Amino acid sequence: MIVSDKMKAVLVHYNHALSLYKSRKFAEAKEEFKKGLAIHPEDGPSKLYIERCDDYIADPPPEDWDGVYNMKTK
């Protein structure tokens, strides 16, 4: 599979953002996901994680959080 330079750039931002997210740095992660969206506005995973970052910024997970997101609605 050939990955375009555009998608490689998105993946750089996505992977960095995911690392920040897992480190509970939700505001920083959100900004990094947004950088990926600026390159590829249709990136669904980045959009999803931005929503999750917003949720955790408003209501942080417990200290023993294992990185799993618990959906609040169905």
Side-chain angles (χ1 to χ4, degrees):
M1 172 191 256
I2 298 174
V3 178
S4 70
D5 289 339
K6 179 179 173 180
M7 284 310 297
K8 286 179 186 176
V10 171
L11 286 171
V12 167
H13 291 294
Y14 181 85
N15 287 329
H16 184 225
L18 196 55
S19 177
L20 291 166
Y21 177 89
K22 290 178 179 179
S23 297
R24 302 174 59 100
K25 297 178 182 176
F26 302 113
E28 294 172 53
K30 179 181 175 179
E31 292 308 310
E32 197 65 28
F33 284 121
K34 286 171 133 182
K35 289 177 185 178
L37 279 179
I39 298 167
H40 182 59
E42 300 304 315
D43 182 42
S46 290
K47 289 179 183 180
L48 176 68
Y49 272 103
I50 287 171
E51 289 177 17
R52 291 179 179 183
C53 285
D54 286 339
D55 286 347
Y56 284 142
I57 290 167
D59 185 19
E63 289 301 317
D64 64 348
W65 179 63
D66 61 2
V68 174
Y69 182 80
N70 294 314
M71 294 180 63
K72 296 175 181 159
T73 60
K74 200 172 187 187

